[in-house]
Amino acid sequence: MVDYVTIERGLGPDGRIAVVRFDRGDGINALSPEALRQLTDAARSFEDDGETSVVVLTGGAKSFSAGFDLKDAEGRSRQSMDMGTLRRHLKLGPRLTRAWQEQITIGAIEGFCVGGGVALAVALDFRVMARDAHMRVPEIALGMNMSWQSVPRMLHLMGPARTKQAVILADDRISAEEAYEWGLVEQVTDPGKSYDAAMALAAKVAAQPPISVAMTKLTVNRLAHALDDLASHMDLDQFALASLTEDHKEGVAAFLGRRKPRFKGR
């Protein structure tokens, strides 16, 4: 089994910063099912870690993540799964984002952050983005819906109109400047400097009283996300149903064939 994720603990003030690096070494950093499992396990490894106050999540030098891996064999096997098996398999994504919502987290984003990469990024507390990086949410262009409870999280960050603009206009790139203006990221840095800026922010967090920080995060999250489960309880099933449509098959085929899709609404 290839390790896509590395963890380094004991950094920063009093060793209270940890860094999780997701890097498949291919400049794309797609989220295969195995990558989702490894990233989830990495987040959960901090659940009982009283020595770590803040976790910095970073990708490779060229990309944070290209999103779900449409070429992965396990991922493509979803096409032949029955509905029950498919629903269980689709829980990998929501499980990932929930795990990363539990700690104090900062994302360092270089290059591109696409689809599932955006879903992961908005589950974090803070996002630092390089000036030449961009985000994109291509799910609708693939005949799918944005899942993993991402829509409520995006709504909290930038409001309904910008959320609809980001998700529905699937082919539009969101530049770092736009992401900052919309409230999708908290800081923009020079290219190649997002990690340094994220570590500087992490140091400020780590210097605060750990228990007070943890309780404050919990309070803010509970208030902000109180209705998220209600609002998005069907997004997994919507995703499963959308994956059975002809438009989804056409969207994926067009993506893999590098052509413009022809959707028919069925």
Side-chain angles (χ1 to χ4, degrees):
M1 188 71 68
V2 178
D3 289 331
Y4 301 136
V5 176
T6 58
I7 303 174
E8 188 175 1
R9 303 174 193 260
L11 304 176
D14 298 319
R16 302 201 65 85
I17 300 174
V19 172
V20 175
R21 187 177 299 277
F22 169 52
D23 190 356
R24 298 183 62 171
D26 57 5
I28 297 175
N29 259 15
L31 291 165
S32 64
E34 178 56 29
L36 295 178
R37 294 185 186 100
Q38 291 186 23
L39 281 163
T40 300
D41 289 343
R44 287 177 170 173
S45 73
F46 295 100
E47 289 178 354
D48 297 316
D49 182 354
E51 303 301 316
T52 300
S53 293
V54 57
V55 182
V56 173
L57 174 63
T58 186
K62 296 181 179 179
S63 65
F64 184 75
S65 175
F68 190 75
D69 192 347
L70 294 174
K71 298 180 180 180
D72 178 79
E74 182 184 351
R76 297 192 71 177
S77 70
R78 289 177 172 179
Q79 298 172 14
S80 59
M81 290 178 182
D82 61 77
M83 182 58 74
T85 303
L86 178 60
R87 291 183 78 251
R88 288 190 292 273
H89 200 269
L90 289 176
K91 291 179 182 178
L92 288 171
R95 192 177 293 143
L96 165 73
T97 54
R98 280 196 301 270
W100 277 96
Q101 192 168 284
E102 293 304 310
Q103 296 76 34
I104 301 289
T105 51
I106 303 171
I109 301 170
E110 295 284 342
F112 50 84
C113 179
V114 179
V118 176
L120 176 55
V122 298
L124 307 177
D125 292 298
F126 309 103
R127 288 145 296 277
V128 179
M129 191 172 181
R131 197 174 310 280
D132 60 348
H134 71 269
M135 292 184 173
R136 189 164 66 88
V137 184
E139 274 74 5
I140 283 185
L142 294 169
M144 301 182 291
N145 68 308
M146 189 62 172
S147 186
W148 303 3
Q149 211 170 60
S150 305
V151 169
R153 294 186 181 110
M154 295 171 73
L155 187 65
H156 296 314
L157 291 171
M158 55 183 181
R162 291 300 191 193
T163 298
K164 285 182 275 191
Q165 182 176 354
V167 176
I168 294 175
L169 302 182
D171 290 331
D172 285 0
R173 291 184 174 187
I174 303 169
S175 69
E177 286 77 11
E178 287 173 324
Y180 178 76
E181 177 187 341
W182 295 1
L184 196 52
V185 301
E186 284 68 45
Q187 187 176 348
V188 175
T189 72
D190 290 335
K193 298 296 184 182
S194 67
Y195 174 77
D196 294 339
M199 289 297 287
L201 176 57
K204 293 180 180 179
V205 174
Q208 304 303 317
I211 295 175
S212 298
V213 168
M215 289 191 297
T216 299
K217 170 185 167 123
L218 182 62
T219 299
V220 172
N221 275 15
R222 290 296 182 269
L223 290 170
H225 302 291
L227 298 178
D228 284 5
D229 286 337
L230 176 64
S232 62
H233 75 285
M234 286 293 290
D235 75 354
L236 184 150
D237 291 308
Q238 289 172 356
F239 191 99
L241 290 171
S243 71
L244 300 177
T245 63
E246 291 183 22
D247 279 349
H248 170 60
K249 295 181 179 66
E250 167 62 13
V252 173
F255 172 80
L256 296 175
R258 299 181 181 276
R259 62 173 173 80
K260 190 174 181 63
R262 297 180 291 275
F263 296 126
K264 299 179 180 178
R266 58 185 186 221

